[in-house]
Structure formats: structure tokens, C-alpha cells
Amino acid sequence: MTKPAAGAQAEEDVQVLVERPYSHEGPHHPRRPPQQLIIRARRPYYRRWSPWIVSAATVACVALFLVTMYVNDCPRHNTNCAVGFLGRFAFQPLRENPLLGPSSATLVKMGALDVSKVVHGRQGWRLLTCMWLHAGVVHLLINMLCLLFIGIRLEQEFGFVRIGAVYLISGFGGSLMSALFIRSSVSVGASGALFGLVGSMLSELITNWSLYANKVAALVSLVAVIAVNLALGVLPRVDNFAHIGGLLSGFLLGFVFFIRPQFAWLNNQNQRRVAAGAPAAEARRRKHKTYQYVLWVAAAALLVAGFTAAAVLLFRGYDANKHCSWCHYLSCVPTRRWKCDSSPTICTATQQEGTLSLLCEGSGRNRTYAIAGASQDRINDLCNQLCT
């Protein structure tokens, strides 16, 4: 829809190519080619930004994963680490973490979302730090490839400030919804923030509807992508509530951050004067259409109200599952191939004479380990491995 202006004026403005089809005067009139208008639009409304915030976020996530694996130090606590030749960066046993990553205890130590620590320990900062951590190499690669594919295109169109705000706020919104519904497991990942970017693309298309060509095809494509990804979220070990929370947050944020002026207003701005006899206020009103203002106000109000209510309920220890008996199906649907048991992994530990005996209270499994003086973190890792 837009292209940079050539030559020296590329630093000042861009050319917006608008195609307006002729209306039919009767059934016997042949269709004529669309009229093409070129409007010179001054920055920052239409420009090609140089993306860097998305690349920086990707590097930060990869760096934090390496730090997490260094802290995890699997060979120090296990004898059957996956890819053991990596030394200190070896992965937890595949039975414990099939995503090739650290233990749950290490993730909690690094800032993962643990609802009990957020509510009872008042560690609200985990709602933000968890989006920078990943459960394994597979998890990291999927999220980072999606971030680069979606985020760079958006940052080129809207700049690093707006994309950075959407990314962070959507990730926070995903963490809030996850904490309200998933109380017994640790949650990490940038999926909520990524779904926020996708949701913002949808609302940007809606709020700037009159500016787009092939808008219906774009809308159908976006809805299809969202539906497929949400459907994949009903698989076990996937936090679909973070996806839904991030998607809703990003959808509302798109109406706030991605509103664009109308071409008629841009044309008047380029001419630097209003048509003879028209008041200046009329030109200002043409900058945005009425429905754009309505969507902006409604989305901003819903964002403030929703985030405030969710934060208050979370820190009061509210468990949303008690008031919505079917909501857990949004995150996992049980089938013959898998179960959706989200009960906490609790074990009874007994240490004596250089051995550690664990009994998983959920499944009744028990096992004895030749470990002397095991720390609580080590016991938690073994309990998680035994119960899962």
C-alpha cells in the first residue's frame, strides 16, 4: 500500500498510492481501470522504520536461555542428562523435559511464573520476567522464529516504540490470564506477547479498514492463523490461557496504537491549506473517521478496566476455575491419547543413610535414589520427574 519516496525526499515523506475503482453507470458500460492517486504523506504516518527492537528481544531471549542452562548445570545433579557432551549446558533428562531445556526449579529461580510466589510471596515481577524465559530449545526456536517473522514486518510499519509497547503489555496480559486459571504449574515463554502482535494486526486492519485493498482476504487469513494457533493450544503442556490473554490484550492495543489518518487529511496536510471557505476544524475532523475514535476510546477503557480487575483478583488469590467449570477446556482437551491432569506434583520425601525415597501422592509411584543430603530444589526436580 505504501512505498518510500525516491531521491532526497525519502527522508522527508513517502508516496501513498491509492487505487479507487470507478463506479458503474449501467450494466452495459465496460469496466474501466481503477483511478490511481498519489498522495505525499509526511512522516511519521507512513514510513519504513528500521527494525531493531524485535532483533534485540530475540537476542535477549537467547542470551537468557544460555544463562538459564548455565545456572541449571544438569551434570551436577543428574547422571543421565540429555546431550551430555555439552557439559554444564547439557539438558535435563528427556523424561523430565522433552523440550531440551532446564528443570522447573531452575526456571522458577530465574523468574518463571509461579502463582504461589506471585500471590503469597508478592513477587509480581514474575508476570513480566516469565515472558523472557523458555522451557527448552524447541520452545525457544519456535517462539523466536515467529517473533522475527511477525515482529519485523510490524516494526517496519509502526516503529519500535509502539511495537515494544504492544509486545510487553500483551505479554503481561497473557501472564495475568495464565495466573488466574493455571495455579499448579510453572509457566514461561513469549507466546502471550507473540499472540498480542497477531491480535494487534487484526485490530489494525479493522480500525484502518478504509485504507486497505483486498481487506476481506487479509481478514480471513488473519482469522485463520489465529484459529489454527489457538486450536494447537488445547494440546497438553501448552499454556493456551497465556495465548488468549495476549491475543485479547494485543487486539485492544492495536486500536489504541495503530490508528492511522485518512488519505484525505494527509492530502490537505501536504497542500498546507484547507479548501477555500472550509473551516480549519473540518480538516482536523477528517484526520480520523468517527468509528476510529469510538474504537480507540472503547479499547483504552477495556484495557484499563481489564488489567486492573485481573491484577486485583490475582493478588487476592482468586481462582477463576472455581467460577468457570468448563474454562479448563480452553487450554487442554483430554482425549484417548493424552490426559489433562493439572494437579500439583507433590511428593513425600524420606532421607536416611545416603538414600532419598520419594512417593508421588498423585500417582502413587515411588522410587529410591542413592543421594545423600539432597536439597529442596533437587527433591522438587526428582518429584516432577517421578510424577510426570
Side-chain angles (χ1 to χ4, degrees), residues 80-347:
N80 58 338
C81 298
V83 197
F85 65 85
L86 292 178
R88 184 166 185 146
F89 293 92
F91 308 120
Q92 290 296 115
L94 295 181
R95 183 180 178 183
E96 179 182 348
N97 188 344
L99 298 178
L100 299 176
S103 65
S104 298
T106 301
L107 290 173
V108 171
K109 185 185 300 184
M110 294 296 295
L113 178 58
D114 186 337
V115 177
S116 62
K117 294 184 180 296
V118 172
V119 176
H120 305 295
R122 299 298 176 182
Q123 299 178 8
W125 47 268
R126 292 180 179 272
L127 295 168
L128 288 173
T129 56
C130 67
M131 74 177 71
W132 300 98
L133 301 172
H134 289 82
V137 172
V138 177
H139 189 202
L140 178 69
L141 285 177
I142 292 174
N143 277 355
M144 294 304 98
L145 288 175
C146 291
L147 175 59
L148 292 173
F149 180 75
I150 298 172
I152 287 181
R153 175 258 174 187
L154 284 175
E155 188 178 356
Q156 285 175 337
E157 288 198 25
F158 298 101
F160 69 93
V161 174
R162 286 182 282 185
I163 295 304
V166 171
Y167 185 84
L168 291 175
I169 299 174
S170 297
F172 179 71
S175 299
L176 275 178
M177 180 162 283
S178 176
L180 288 173
F181 285 93
I182 300 180
R183 316 280 298 183
S184 58
S185 60
V186 173
S187 179
V188 293
S191 300
L194 290 173
F195 268 78
L197 294 179
V198 176
S200 68
M201 293 172 65
L202 180 59
S203 54
E204 190 271 332
L205 175 63
I206 295 174
T207 193
N208 300 316
W209 186 259
S210 61
L211 306 182
Y212 278 95
N214 301 323
K215 58 193 73 175
V216 175
L219 178 62
V220 172
S221 299
L222 273 176
V223 172
V225 169
I226 292 171
V228 169
N229 282 275
L230 288 179
L232 293 175
V234 302
L235 298 173
R237 294 182 177 269
V238 178
D239 186 359
N240 213 25
F241 286 112
H243 297 172
I244 296 172
L247 178 68
L248 293 176
S249 300
F251 181 71
L252 294 175
L253 288 166
F255 291 120
V256 176
F257 288 126
F258 295 164
I259 184 173
R260 279 173 159 169
Q262 298 299 303
F263 288 130
W265 181 85
L266 290 171
N267 197 26
N268 285 340
Q269 288 291 105
N270 182 64
Q271 295 173 356
R272 296 185 178 276
R273 63 171 57 91
V274 182
E282 181 180 349
R284 287 197 299 270
R285 284 196 299 268
R286 285 199 298 268
K287 182 176 182 180
H288 301 292
K289 290 192 173 182
T290 303
Y291 78 89
Q292 290 179 300
Y293 288 115
V294 172
L295 291 173
W296 191 98
V297 173
L302 287 173
L303 276 170
V304 173
F307 274 69
T308 302
V312 170
L313 291 174
L314 173 62
F315 285 102
R316 288 185 177 181
Y318 179 82
D319 186 354
N321 292 296
K322 294 181 179 179
H323 302 275
C324 181
S325 59
W326 57 268
C327 285
H328 63 279
Y329 291 116
L330 294 175
S331 185
C332 184
V333 176
T335 68
R336 294 180 179 180
R337 295 181 179 272
W338 63 73
K339 297 181 180 180
C340 297
D341 184 12
S342 60
S343 57
T345 54
I346 301 176
C347 294

Side-chain angles (χ1 to χ4, degrees), residues 35-47:
Q35 177 186 11
Q36 292 188 347
L37 303 176
I38 295 181
I39 300 175
R40 306 195 73 84
R42 302 190 66 81
R43 292 185 177 184
Y45 302 112
Y46 295 93
R47 62 167 290 180

